[in-house]
Amino acid sequence: GIGAFCGAKHERVVVAFQEDGVRLFDARTGKQLARQEGALAPAVSADGMTVAVGKGENVLLLDTLTLKVLATIPIGKAVASTKFGADGTQLVVGVLDGDRRPTANDTLVDVAQKKVVGEQPAPPLISRVLPVPGGKTALRHRPAGLSATNVELFELPDGPAIAKCKVPLLASSFLVLKDGAE
């Protein structure tokens, strides 16, 4: 899962599990303190006292002591990620289109007003390239939503795809066997 320290003295850890929502743990003992079912992508405010999570088409602001919902902010699209802005007054929310792919723009939320206030261009999804033994071809892969990865075999340096597949997992890395066959 994805996790972050939270609380006034970083005495707690909030962790998102892919199929199980967000859980809050005591950092010292590891004891589970609370759970927010169906939530994902936790972001912790600079003061450590608020956790923002996505849940469906909403962002929930949660108290870091109990994971009690402080506010529900409708976004209008499926939430993929949350991140507090540098000054803590805004949330940058990554959203998905109808095909569950990341959109070109992130949604901006004013934390104090608890409402959507605009959009900004989303950072590009990073495509990764892995050379295949032999030096003539390589694999490139990039996310295709929250639960799949597009993989292509292509001719170097940047040729068209020779073969394509969609892996039913959000993969961050691949390995190629020495002979290049798998």
Side-chain angles (χ1 to χ4, degrees):
I2 298 169
F5 285 97
C6 59
K9 297 178 183 176
H10 299 289
E11 71 278 8
R12 296 172 186 256
V13 177
V14 62
V15 180
F17 294 91
Q18 186 172 354
E19 301 295 328
D20 195 33
V22 172
R23 294 179 183 210
L24 183 68
F25 298 93
D26 182 290
R28 191 173 33 81
T29 67
K31 179 182 176 190
Q32 181 176 315
L33 304 171
R35 178 175 172 219
Q36 182 61 240
E37 195 171 329
L40 55 86
V44 179
S45 63
D47 67 2
M49 298 308 293
T50 305
V51 176
V53 296
K55 189 169 183 180
E57 293 189 356
N58 298 309
V59 168
L60 306 180
L61 298 180
L62 308 172
D63 173 74
T64 59
L65 298 177
T66 62
L67 289 189
K68 177 184 172 199
V69 177
L70 302 172
T72 300
I73 305 166
I75 302 299
K77 294 181 181 177
V79 175
S81 64
T82 60
K83 182 175 90 174
F84 279 91
D87 65 3
T89 63
Q90 282 192 335
L91 276 169
V92 179
V93 181
V95 293
L96 302 175
D97 65 17
D99 292 325
R100 306 236 1 116
R101 293 193 172 125
T103 60
N105 290 321
D106 287 336
T107 300
L108 299 175
V109 172
D110 183 291
V111 175
Q113 296 179 41
K114 297 175 180 54
K115 69 176 188 175
V116 173
V117 293
E119 292 184 340
Q120 71 181 21
L125 291 172
I126 297 172
S127 294
R128 299 195 178 150
V129 174
L130 177 66
V132 174
K136 294 182 181 179
T137 59
L139 288 177
R140 57 186 167 216
H141 59 96
R142 63 184 173 83
L146 287 178
S147 60
T149 304
N150 286 326
V151 180
E152 297 179 342
L153 177 68
F154 68 99
E155 289 183 13
L156 289 169
D158 193 23
I162 298 167
K164 299 178 183 181
C165 73
K166 188 180 241 181
V167 179
L169 300 167
L170 184 56
S172 60
S173 65
F174 286 86
L175 298 173
V176 176
L177 296 181
K178 283 184 180 184
D179 64 4
E182 293 184 75

